[in-house]
Amino acid sequence: MLKIERPEGDFARNYDSFANGESVYFVWLNRGKESVVLDLARGDDKDLFAALLAKADVFVQNLKPGAIAKLGFPIAELRKKHPRLICCSISGYGESGPYTARKAYDLLVQAESGLASITGGPDAPARVGFSVADIGAGMNAYQAILEALIARNRTGEGATIAVSLFDAMAEWMTVPLLSHEGGHPFKRIGLAHAAIAPYGVFRSRDGADILISIQNDREWRVLARNVLGDEKLADDPRFATNSDRVKNRAATDALIAGAFARADVAPLMALLEKADIAFARVSNCALLSAHPHLRRISVGTPSGPVAMPAPAPVIDQARSYGRVPALGEHTERVRAEFS
């Protein structure tokens, strides 16, 4: 995979230097790529770019709508010239529509799509803590490209794909949107559930936050008997059904908060696990760094290896992970091959 960079490089290279001297953003998203520096304002670099496109399977670009055409490579013409080429354009609001020309960054799209309105606590909306709009658009592009490659095997024809950050987030907002349009708008309640109780965060004696989820009345009886140590609560009419517990949420939560505050986190989690109660420790990055379930891979970078979380798919085939390229590391080899 060739990554075409400006002479000054992808600006994500310089976001930070926290990954062994490299940008964590760049390291995460660029392993296994080859870096080629081109200045598409220069005729010889344009010629080289055209030669690359002539042999490419897939062309992905995220310049603002219309910019690639101004550089001399309109997508419609590329598709006519190279019928097998799959062209994927990623932008903030897509290639058409009233907001096409707007600048769009991740946080802006989180706000515009309504995602921020359902994230956070009761007092104010909040940003999802990482670039979910960017990542969501990339995942949609990846999926669409794979579909186009499969289709091309049957038809011999490439495809023109457009993916926007806004569309990616709007589609993920389907449940809140349709709930709202059905007369039941979502309410921000932080790490809790508006329709289920107990479903929220409670603190242990030694200061750890534990999120529990009781999905039905049978689980409530197990919690009351085996964790709270009060079997009478199982049949207490204030808590016997989920609707009762939601109606009496403050009293329900107070019972659990009191019990959790009398136990340290390790024995408390052991007790919850033994009772088969759904729970999670509310972790932070320090806890995730040492998490017993975290899988890692080692990726080479120009500044040395970086241990990072492994990709989610676990496949029964040998896999290797390419290194992160230095700026322009492969330019001369590519020039020699395609010039």
Side-chain angles (χ1 to χ4, degrees):
M1 180 183 295
L2 297 183
K3 178 181 179 67
I4 307 301
E5 299 191 63
R6 299 180 177 93
E8 65 273 21
D10 185 335
F11 54 75
R13 285 183 177 273
N14 300 309
Y15 277 167
D16 58 67
S17 57
F18 304 150
N20 197 15
E22 303 289 334
S23 164
V24 293
Y25 290 90
F26 194 84
V27 166
W28 177 39
L29 296 173
N30 288 281
R31 64 175 183 265
K33 298 179 182 178
E34 298 183 345
S35 173
V36 176
V37 168
L38 296 180
D39 180 354
L40 294 183
R42 293 176 41 179
D44 56 342
D45 280 5
K46 277 190 175 182
D47 291 343
L48 176 56
F49 187 54
L52 292 172
L53 289 172
K55 292 189 176 181
D57 288 303
V58 180
F59 172 46
V60 181
Q61 63 93 18
N62 70 332
L63 301 177
K64 65 182 180 180
I68 196 69
K70 289 180 181 178
L71 289 169
F73 300 94
I75 298 298
E77 290 187 17
L78 289 177
R79 288 281 294 111
K80 289 179 181 178
K81 193 173 183 179
H82 311 295
R84 290 179 55 82
L85 182 64
I86 295 167
C87 297
C88 180
S89 300
I90 302 174
S91 62
Y93 289 98
E95 301 297 306
S96 62
Y99 286 9
T100 298
R102 273 198 186 187
K103 287 186 175 180
Y105 306 120
D106 181 87
L107 182 52
L108 300 178
V109 174
Q110 288 197 35
E112 189 75 40
S113 66
L115 175 60
S117 76
I118 62 165
T119 306
D123 295 336
R127 173 185 183 267
V128 175
F130 53 85
S131 300
V132 65
D134 290 338
I135 297 163
M139 291 176 67
N140 275 275
Y142 178 65
Q143 173 185 315
I145 289 166
L146 290 181
E147 289 181 12
L149 285 168
I150 293 169
R152 191 181 68 178
N153 285 339
R154 297 194 303 268
T155 66
E157 286 291 317
T160 300
I161 301 166
V163 176
S164 78
L165 277 66
F166 181 82
D167 287 349
M169 292 302 94
E171 198 267 336
W172 284 4
M173 285 287 291
T174 295
V175 171
L177 176 63
L178 297 190
S179 296
H180 168 82
E181 292 174 347
H184 298 278
F186 270 44
K187 296 179 180 178
R188 287 191 311 272
I189 56 175
L191 282 176
H193 196 293
I196 301 174
Y199 198 148
V201 177
F202 304 92
R203 182 158 290 184
S204 68
R205 181 169 57 190
D206 51 351
D209 289 332
I210 303 294
L211 174 63
I212 67 167
S213 171
I214 299 300
Q215 293 287 309
N216 54 57
D217 299 334
R218 179 192 61 78
E219 289 185 352
W220 166 254
R221 292 192 292 272
V222 173
L223 180 76
R225 180 176 62 250
N226 296 343
V227 179
L228 305 183
D230 189 348
E231 195 157 2
K232 294 179 181 178
L233 291 174
D235 299 315
D236 189 314
R238 295 174 297 166
F239 313 115
T241 68
N242 181 64
S243 59
D244 294 327
R245 295 190 295 276
V246 170
K247 189 186 305 181
N248 297 290
R249 185 186 295 273
T252 304
D253 288 354
L255 287 169
I256 299 165
F260 278 36
R262 294 189 291 271
D264 289 339
V265 63
L268 178 58
M269 290 196 300
L271 189 61
L272 289 165
E273 191 158 2
K274 183 177 180 181
D276 198 26
I277 297 296
F279 75 95
R281 182 164 182 177
V282 182
S283 294
N284 53 28
C285 287
L287 290 171
L288 177 60
S289 180
H291 201 287
H293 213 74
L294 177 64
R295 297 182 299 110
R296 290 183 183 263
I297 59 173
S298 179
V299 174
T301 79
S303 301
V306 172
M308 58 196 293
V314 178
I315 303 173
D316 63 347
Q317 298 173 343
R319 300 188 76 184
S320 61
Y321 299 96
R323 62 189 299 278
V324 177
L327 176 60
E329 180 177 343
H330 304 90
T331 303
E332 293 311 312
R333 180 186 63 75
V334 171
R335 284 190 188 280
E337 181 179 349
F338 288 90
S339 295

